[in-house]
Amino acid sequence: MDRNTILIVEDDRVNRTILKKILSAKYHICEAENGSDALFVLEQRATEISVVLLDLLMPIMDGYELIKRVRCNSRFAGVPLIVATDDAQREAEAEVLSLGANDFILKPYDPTIIRHRIANTIQLCETAAMLNVVQRDSLTGVYSKEHFYQTVNEILNRKPHRPYDMVCCDIENFKLVNDLFGTQTGDELLKYVAQVVVEALPEGSICGRMGGDVFALLVPHQEVYRDQWFAEVVWKLNRFSVDLNLVMRYGICSRVSPQVPVATLCDRANLAKQTIKGKYNAYYAYYNEELRERLLDEQSITANMNTALEQKQFKVYLQPKYHLQSGKISGAEALVRWEHPEKGLISPDKFIPLFEKNGFITSLDMYVWEEACRLLRRWLDAGERPVPISVNVSRADIYHPQLCTILTKLVENYRLHPKYLHLEITETAYTEHPVQIIETVQKLKDQGFVLEMDDFGTGYSSLNMLSELPIDVLKLDMRFVQYEEKRNSRSILSFIISLAKWLDLRVVAEGVETEEQVELLRSMSCDYVQGFYFAKPLLPEAFETVWHRSKDKANLNLYTTVGPGKKVTQQDATLLLMVDHGTEVGSELEAVLQQDYDVLRVSKEAVAKAYLKNTEISLVLLDVTQPNETTDAFLDEFAEQGRMSHIPVIVVTTEPVSKTMVPYEEKVSDYMVTPLRPVLIKKRVQNALVASRAKMLEQEQEVAHALEEMKKRAEIDALTGLLNRSEFENRVEHFLTRNKNSDGYFIILDMDNFKLVNDNYGHIKGDEVLRQTADTLRENFFEADMLSRLGGDEFVIFIPYEHNWQELEEKVSKLCSRLSLRVGEIDVSCSAGVCGTKEGNRDYQTLYKFADMALLMAKRSGKKQCKLFDEAMCIPSPQILENGSDWLLNQTSDAVFACDAETLEIVYINDTACELVGKTKEECMGKKCHDIMWQRGEACWRCPCISDCVNEFYHEDVVLTDGKTAVHLKAKMLMLQGRPVKVHYLQNAHPIETKTP
């Protein structure tokens, strides 16, 4: 395991030697004698340095100046700094912390404290790094998607007269690599692809990974792209050690414009790339006018947007925000919908992204702002005390030079206090030009507006930036909540909520949809929630009804008793347990920490143990300034309790640390040494809490990953990645039970001649066919549709919504054609049977039975057929055959004959089969089937294959002995009058087409 590197900056050689001796067993050490030398080391090795440990008083450049220089340099501003001070410099501690130091240690050095300080600082910074933007893709080393976009923008704007092309590429059928060889091999291939692509790029190009196996390239414009260049890349690609033919497909958007968003350029290149999927020897395609036609919808929206605004087709809806503990509505978010006179209600995801691109979003935002102010004014005039309304401030609005003036005049015109109009700015906006945006936001805050960071979690705000932003409310993106529910543990969400509270920010969780999410958020003391679980976006009149109703709700109990005579508000989940013996130090700690936390102060370890067993304790403070004989036993028992192992412990002691504490070094998170200072007390507690949460997060990620894998294995067919039979049946039954009035379709697909593939080319080839089939199904159905492989070559789909049968029949028929392929000399095709949920077909077994009946009828009609079940369908029973009835002749036009499984003598043949071979029944009965049907002197090679078909049919396309008639042969084993027979169906007989010379 790689060790972290620490840079020691100290002019005293003896002190450097002492520190090196203390730390070298666990860390790599590099040294500098003053601040100037330290800057030189950082210039050379900034990415390697985990912590800088520095003295304040040094020649040439002292520690104060070094801290300022480091924090002003973007290259290494994030490197944590720990300052070494002595008693004479104690007054400087608060100053160096304000300059940007992360922590400090005291001289003379105490090894235990130094190791803890450094370990906690590294862990804290690594935790912060989880939320920081990364420039490089962690797997391949090329630019990340966000940084690629940013860099492309910079290049195009810096060199507007130099033409560039946007190129997007991916590996055709990359998923096969993961399916056949595993994701580890897939990841190795992606790293190799990145290396090959980057090496082949012309000078002045850059490369980024967009996700999955998709890479984007910005290259100097090429008038002509040579096939040889792409072929060389493909040739190198196929040197990778997988037994597959790997092909790269490229889409090119030529002569890109800096006025077009980078994401749009990539979309255009990807559209071009999609046009050559599956085409042999077609390496690249250009974005052209034909592809441009796909943008007509956007043009239509653009053409109508001004008229829509003038005619007030845009309607403002309000989605309530609820105070989680009281259940009352405490605010609303203004959302816009487009009620088009011809197209009806247009969802915002259809026009908002386009308006953000073309700049019309500012006009729409101003319209919404005024509508919100009009509502607030109406409520005030009616004598209501209004709840605040949050409105969106887009990135384009922020750069408007008169934004502050516009908003201020707006609230003045409607005689409103700015606090009623909350301004939501997305997290991603802060990351683009943080200095300019922070300046604008600060002006708005100074005017009295309440600022909210919207969609937190979708961008990459660093913790440092979060602490600098002048915001009041943090809105967690819905994906945080949904992801947290799956993990079923306190992890990222808990960490973010705690962080927000340390920064005095209110927290709103949006997109809450289930009761489980509500309880999870309540347990973490989230302040406010909104989402479909509580209310959908409402027109103002409907919102007012819900709002007035919520006023009548009685407040929920805000307190939970956690001990005798002590109550802790659920609105603050951070509860500290302080164990002391009535000392002045304990009183001092309690006074400082009560400003930010709930503190339980006890004087006996036995009482502390009771609280730890029955209460959610976030941190323990153990005062040993007056040693007690029960302290050792308390720590021993505390450390052995698995449930408490995640709770950090801070020991308060005198200097130096008592030798009795050395055995408990691994059980103690940090130490406080008297005399204590308020700013440092808070710093110690905050660092320990964050480090503890980071450790829990890491552990829970491992558990969640393991649970996710177990769940996946239990629900997914390992070969195809579709649902397995059991999970599919459960989901269909669940849907039918909960949606008694909803209609849907049950589809069974069966692969014709698939068994021949396994028999002639092996199961590996057969598995490949099944995976290709699954991929085709995924491409042709929506995410809401349920797809499953029931077993063998049988697939099933459930469409959980009503569908026009003609359109569905056309879709399934086309799908059957797409699933037809040739494997060597074998033609594999697909047939389908469909059953709707109407008319009482409301349980899984009935749907399966009727769809299977329709499938059999489809197969009887020939290959690549699709049939919908109807009540007139009748499947003949094998028992009828045993009774000697001519049901085959009466109910089907198929040619049918049966032969004894052992003697191969024909025991039954219908008139249609006799006509095909040109013989009477008397001439056929009792004769060997291979003599009559195939004119062979011995049993044919297909006999053993049919003998294996007890539960499924054998399929083959054959030509009869006349050389002119082709039929589809279907055969299987049955019991006839107590003996096994082979029943043969000769279906879809037709003359062979001959070409005229």
Side-chain angles (χ1 to χ4, degrees), residues 100-126:
N102 296 74
D103 211 335
F104 70 91
I105 58 174
L106 292 176
K107 299 178 182 178
Y109 302 126
D110 185 294
T112 301
I113 291 182
I114 291 175
R115 285 192 288 268
H116 273 289
R117 292 280 195 276
I118 290 175
N120 287 347
T121 300
I122 291 174
Q123 189 171 40
L124 181 61
C125 290
E126 288 176 348

mmCIF file of all heavy atoms in Angstrom, residues 100-126:
data_model
loop_
_atom_site.group_PDB
_atom_site.id
_atom_site.type_symbol
_atom_site.label_atom_id
_atom_site.label_comp_id
_atom_site.label_asym_id
_atom_site.label_seq_id
_atom_site.Cartn_x
_atom_site.Cartn_y
_atom_site.Cartn_z
ATOM 1 N N GLY A 100 -5.776 30.106 6.812
ATOM 2 C CA GLY A 100 -5.987 28.912 5.991
ATOM 3 C C GLY A 100 -5.311 27.664 6.492
ATOM 4 O O GLY A 100 -5.351 26.624 5.826
ATOM 5 N N ALA A 101 -4.657 27.712 7.651
ATOM 6 C CA ALA A 101 -4.072 26.499 8.213
ATOM 7 C C ALA A 101 -5.193 25.543 8.625
ATOM 8 O O ALA A 101 -6.260 25.977 9.063
ATOM 9 C CB ALA A 101 -3.192 26.831 9.404
ATOM 10 N N ASN A 102 -4.941 24.268 8.486
ATOM 11 C CA ASN A 102 -5.960 23.282 8.826
ATOM 12 C C ASN A 102 -5.932 22.878 10.292
ATOM 13 O O ASN A 102 -6.969 22.539 10.857
ATOM 14 C CB ASN A 102 -5.783 22.020 7.972
ATOM 15 C CG ASN A 102 -5.985 22.295 6.501
ATOM 16 O OD1 ASN A 102 -5.133 22.891 5.865
ATOM 17 N ND2 ASN A 102 -7.110 21.871 5.952
ATOM 18 N N ASP A 103 -4.737 22.908 10.906
ATOM 19 C CA ASP A 103 -4.633 22.471 12.288
ATOM 20 C C ASP A 103 -3.282 22.935 12.845
ATOM 21 O O ASP A 103 -2.506 23.603 12.132
ATOM 22 C CB ASP A 103 -4.754 20.946 12.373
ATOM 23 C CG ASP A 103 -5.389 20.502 13.688
ATOM 24 O OD1 ASP A 103 -5.300 21.253 14.686
ATOM 25 O OD2 ASP A 103 -5.966 19.404 13.710
ATOM 26 N N PHE A 104 -2.988 22.586 14.084
ATOM 27 C CA PHE A 104 -1.708 22.938 14.679
ATOM 28 C C PHE A 104 -1.310 21.878 15.691
ATOM 29 O O PHE A 104 -2.136 21.091 16.157
ATOM 30 C CB PHE A 104 -1.761 24.323 15.343
ATOM 31 C CG PHE A 104 -2.595 24.344 16.591
ATOM 32 C CD1 PHE A 104 -2.016 24.100 17.838
ATOM 33 C CD2 PHE A 104 -3.954 24.564 16.525
ATOM 34 C CE1 PHE A 104 -2.790 24.096 18.977
ATOM 35 C CE2 PHE A 104 -4.727 24.560 17.661
ATOM 36 C CZ PHE A 104 -4.143 24.323 18.897
ATOM 37 N N ILE A 105 -0.019 21.844 16.036
ATOM 38 C CA ILE A 105 0.494 20.992 17.100
ATOM 39 C C ILE A 105 1.379 21.843 17.989
ATOM 40 O O ILE A 105 1.887 22.891 17.562
ATOM 41 C CB ILE A 105 1.293 19.794 16.542
ATOM 42 C CG1 ILE A 105 2.458 20.283 15.677
ATOM 43 C CG2 ILE A 105 0.390 18.869 15.753
ATOM 44 C CD1 ILE A 105 3.378 19.179 15.216
ATOM 45 N N LEU A 106 1.560 21.381 19.230
ATOM 46 C CA LEU A 106 2.334 22.153 20.198
ATOM 47 C C LEU A 106 3.729 21.560 20.392
ATOM 48 O O LEU A 106 3.935 20.361 20.259
ATOM 49 C CB LEU A 106 1.615 22.177 21.546
ATOM 50 C CG LEU A 106 0.298 22.968 21.611
ATOM 51 C CD1 LEU A 106 -0.329 22.809 22.980
ATOM 52 C CD2 LEU A 106 0.532 24.442 21.301
ATOM 53 N N LYS A 107 4.678 22.469 20.666
ATOM 54 C CA LYS A 107 6.013 22.049 21.067
ATOM 55 C C LYS A 107 6.083 22.095 22.587
ATOM 56 O O LYS A 107 5.487 22.981 23.212
ATOM 57 C CB LYS A 107 7.068 22.992 20.481
ATOM 58 C CG LYS A 107 7.098 23.040 18.960
ATOM 59 C CD LYS A 107 8.147 24.059 18.485
ATOM 60 C CE LYS A 107 8.183 24.187 16.975
ATOM 61 N NZ LYS A 107 9.160 25.214 16.540
ATOM 62 N N PRO A 108 6.854 21.237 23.237
ATOM 63 C CA PRO A 108 7.601 20.112 22.648
ATOM 64 C C PRO A 108 6.639 19.062 22.084
ATOM 65 O O PRO A 108 5.518 18.928 22.536
ATOM 66 C CB PRO A 108 8.408 19.577 23.819
ATOM 67 C CG PRO A 108 7.608 19.978 25.035
ATOM 68 C CD PRO A 108 6.999 21.301 24.695
ATOM 69 N N TYR A 109 7.135 18.318 21.101
ATOM 70 C CA TYR A 109 6.285 17.416 20.345
ATOM 71 C C TYR A 109 5.867 16.210 21.166
ATOM 72 O O TYR A 109 6.678 15.591 21.850
ATOM 73 C CB TYR A 109 7.027 16.936 19.092
ATOM 74 C CG TYR A 109 7.474 18.053 18.192
ATOM 75 C CD1 TYR A 109 8.813 18.158 17.796
ATOM 76 C CD2 TYR A 109 6.574 19.003 17.730
ATOM 77 C CE1 TYR A 109 9.237 19.182 16.958
ATOM 78 C CE2 TYR A 109 6.979 20.028 16.898
ATOM 79 C CZ TYR A 109 8.311 20.122 16.508
ATOM 80 O OH TYR A 109 8.713 21.134 15.691
ATOM 81 N N ASP A 110 4.557 15.886 21.084
ATOM 82 C CA ASP A 110 4.045 14.655 21.674
ATOM 83 C C ASP A 110 3.715 13.706 20.523
ATOM 84 O O ASP A 110 2.833 13.991 19.701
ATOM 85 C CB ASP A 110 2.783 14.943 22.487
ATOM 86 C CG ASP A 110 2.295 13.702 23.219
ATOM 87 O OD1 ASP A 110 1.872 12.740 22.527
ATOM 88 O OD2 ASP A 110 2.328 13.687 24.450
ATOM 89 N N PRO A 111 4.417 12.576 20.401
ATOM 90 C CA PRO A 111 4.222 11.684 19.248
ATOM 91 C C PRO A 111 2.773 11.259 19.037
ATOM 92 O O PRO A 111 2.289 11.211 17.911
ATOM 93 C CB PRO A 111 5.106 10.479 19.581
ATOM 94 C CG PRO A 111 6.172 11.039 20.482
ATOM 95 C CD PRO A 111 5.488 12.089 21.299
ATOM 96 N N THR A 112 2.072 10.956 20.133
ATOM 97 C CA THR A 112 0.687 10.495 20.003
ATOM 98 C C THR A 112 -0.194 11.560 19.371
ATOM 99 O O THR A 112 -0.968 11.305 18.445
ATOM 100 C CB THR A 112 0.136 10.098 21.378
ATOM 101 O OG1 THR A 112 0.953 9.068 21.930
ATOM 102 C CG2 THR A 112 -1.300 9.603 21.250
ATOM 103 N N ILE A 113 -0.085 12.778 19.891
ATOM 104 C CA ILE A 113 -0.915 13.865 19.369
ATOM 105 C C ILE A 113 -0.558 14.169 17.917
ATOM 106 O O ILE A 113 -1.435 14.364 17.067
ATOM 107 C CB ILE A 113 -0.754 15.125 20.245
ATOM 108 C CG1 ILE A 113 -1.394 14.877 21.621
ATOM 109 C CG2 ILE A 113 -1.373 16.340 19.572
ATOM 110 C CD1 ILE A 113 -1.329 16.053 22.548
ATOM 111 N N ILE A 114 0.733 14.202 17.595
ATOM 112 C CA ILE A 114 1.154 14.505 16.224
ATOM 113 C C ILE A 114 0.587 13.480 15.244
ATOM 114 O O ILE A 114 0.042 13.840 14.191
ATOM 115 C CB ILE A 114 2.693 14.541 16.124
ATOM 116 C CG1 ILE A 114 3.232 15.761 16.876
ATOM 117 C CG2 ILE A 114 3.147 14.585 14.676
ATOM 118 C CD1 ILE A 114 4.732 15.818 16.943
ATOM 119 N N ARG A 115 0.687 12.203 15.600
ATOM 120 C CA ARG A 115 0.173 11.175 14.687
ATOM 121 C C ARG A 115 -1.335 11.306 14.479
ATOM 122 O O ARG A 115 -1.848 11.140 13.378
ATOM 123 C CB ARG A 115 0.543 9.789 15.206
ATOM 124 C CG ARG A 115 2.014 9.425 14.989
ATOM 125 C CD ARG A 115 2.260 7.954 15.254
ATOM 126 N NE ARG A 115 2.188 7.613 16.662
ATOM 127 C CZ ARG A 115 3.239 7.590 17.483
ATOM 128 N NH1 ARG A 115 4.446 7.873 17.039
ATOM 129 N NH2 ARG A 115 3.090 7.274 18.755
ATOM 130 N N HIS A 116 -2.058 11.608 15.566
ATOM 131 C CA HIS A 116 -3.502 11.779 15.449
ATOM 132 C C HIS A 116 -3.862 12.995 14.607
ATOM 133 O O HIS A 116 -4.758 12.944 13.764
ATOM 134 C CB HIS A 116 -4.140 11.911 16.834
ATOM 135 C CG HIS A 116 -4.480 10.592 17.448
ATOM 136 N ND1 HIS A 116 -5.496 9.789 16.992
ATOM 137 C CD2 HIS A 116 -3.910 9.923 18.486
ATOM 138 C CE1 HIS A 116 -5.557 8.690 17.720
ATOM 139 N NE2 HIS A 116 -4.609 8.740 18.636
ATOM 140 N N ARG A 117 -3.161 14.114 14.862
ATOM 141 C CA ARG A 117 -3.454 15.337 14.092
ATOM 142 C C ARG A 117 -3.287 15.073 12.594
ATOM 143 O O ARG A 117 -4.136 15.445 11.779
ATOM 144 C CB ARG A 117 -2.508 16.460 14.515
ATOM 145 C CG ARG A 117 -2.712 16.966 15.919
ATOM 146 C CD ARG A 117 -3.888 17.941 16.005
ATOM 147 N NE ARG A 117 -3.820 18.642 17.259
ATOM 148 C CZ ARG A 117 -4.302 18.193 18.416
ATOM 149 N NH1 ARG A 117 -4.920 17.026 18.441
ATOM 150 N NH2 ARG A 117 -4.189 18.887 19.520
ATOM 151 N N ILE A 118 -2.186 14.464 12.233
ATOM 152 C CA ILE A 118 -1.894 14.251 10.810
ATOM 153 C C ILE A 118 -2.872 13.256 10.196
ATOM 154 O O ILE A 118 -3.407 13.477 9.103
ATOM 155 C CB ILE A 118 -0.443 13.786 10.639
ATOM 156 C CG1 ILE A 118 0.518 14.940 10.963
ATOM 157 C CG2 ILE A 118 -0.192 13.275 9.227
ATOM 158 C CD1 ILE A 118 1.976 14.573 10.944
ATOM 159 N N ALA A 119 -3.153 12.162 10.904
ATOM 160 C CA ALA A 119 -4.081 11.160 10.364
ATOM 161 C C ALA A 119 -5.465 11.753 10.155
ATOM 162 O O ALA A 119 -6.114 11.527 9.118
ATOM 163 C CB ALA A 119 -4.140 9.952 11.298
ATOM 164 N N ASN A 120 -5.940 12.531 11.139
ATOM 165 C CA ASN A 120 -7.267 13.143 11.018
ATOM 166 C C ASN A 120 -7.309 14.155 9.879
ATOM 167 O O ASN A 120 -8.290 14.255 9.146
ATOM 168 C CB ASN A 120 -7.660 13.833 12.331
ATOM 169 C CG ASN A 120 -8.018 12.819 13.411
ATOM 170 O OD1 ASN A 120 -8.207 11.639 13.127
ATOM 171 N ND2 ASN A 120 -8.093 13.267 14.642
ATOM 172 N N THR A 121 -6.237 14.933 9.733
ATOM 173 C CA THR A 121 -6.201 15.941 8.671
ATOM 174 C C THR A 121 -6.223 15.290 7.298
ATOM 175 O O THR A 121 -6.946 15.727 6.391
ATOM 176 C CB THR A 121 -4.940 16.813 8.814
ATOM 177 O OG1 THR A 121 -4.965 17.470 10.091
ATOM 178 C CG2 THR A 121 -4.885 17.862 7.709
ATOM 179 N N ILE A 122 -5.434 14.228 7.122
ATOM 180 C CA ILE A 122 -5.418 13.531 5.823
ATOM 181 C C ILE A 122 -6.793 12.946 5.522
ATOM 182 O O ILE A 122 -7.318 13.083 4.419
ATOM 183 C CB ILE A 122 -4.341 12.426 5.829
ATOM 184 C CG1 ILE A 122 -2.936 13.053 5.845
ATOM 185 C CG2 ILE A 122 -4.497 11.519 4.619
ATOM 186 C CD1 ILE A 122 -1.814 12.045 5.988
ATOM 187 N N GLN A 123 -7.404 12.317 6.531
ATOM 188 C CA GLN A 123 -8.715 11.700 6.292
ATOM 189 C C GLN A 123 -9.764 12.757 5.976
ATOM 190 O O GLN A 123 -10.607 12.577 5.095
ATOM 191 C CB GLN A 123 -9.134 10.895 7.519
ATOM 192 C CG GLN A 123 -10.384 10.055 7.272
ATOM 193 C CD GLN A 123 -10.673 9.105 8.410
ATOM 194 O OE1 GLN A 123 -10.517 9.463 9.573
ATOM 195 N NE2 GLN A 123 -11.087 7.902 8.082
ATOM 196 N N LEU A 124 -9.701 13.897 6.667
ATOM 197 C CA LEU A 124 -10.656 14.971 6.420
ATOM 198 C C LEU A 124 -10.527 15.499 5.004
ATOM 199 O O LEU A 124 -11.518 15.716 4.295
ATOM 200 C CB LEU A 124 -10.430 16.103 7.430
ATOM 201 C CG LEU A 124 -11.372 17.308 7.330
ATOM 202 C CD1 LEU A 124 -12.806 16.873 7.571
ATOM 203 C CD2 LEU A 124 -10.975 18.380 8.320
ATOM 204 N N CYS A 125 -9.298 15.684 4.539
ATOM 205 C CA CYS A 125 -9.081 16.211 3.190
ATOM 206 C C CYS A 125 -9.472 15.193 2.124
ATOM 207 O O CYS A 125 -9.975 15.553 1.061
ATOM 208 C CB CYS A 125 -7.619 16.628 3.024
ATOM 209 S SG CYS A 125 -7.197 18.088 3.998
ATOM 210 N N GLU A 126 -9.229 13.910 2.406
ATOM 211 C CA GLU A 126 -9.637 12.886 1.445
ATOM 212 C C GLU A 126 -11.157 12.816 1.340
ATOM 213 O O GLU A 126 -11.710 12.565 0.266
ATOM 214 C CB GLU A 126 -9.076 11.534 1.851
ATOM 215 C CG GLU A 126 -7.564 11.420 1.627
ATOM 216 C CD GLU A 126 -7.010 10.099 2.132
ATOM 217 O OE1 GLU A 126 -7.746 9.391 2.845
ATOM 218 O OE2 GLU A 126 -5.841 9.793 1.821
#
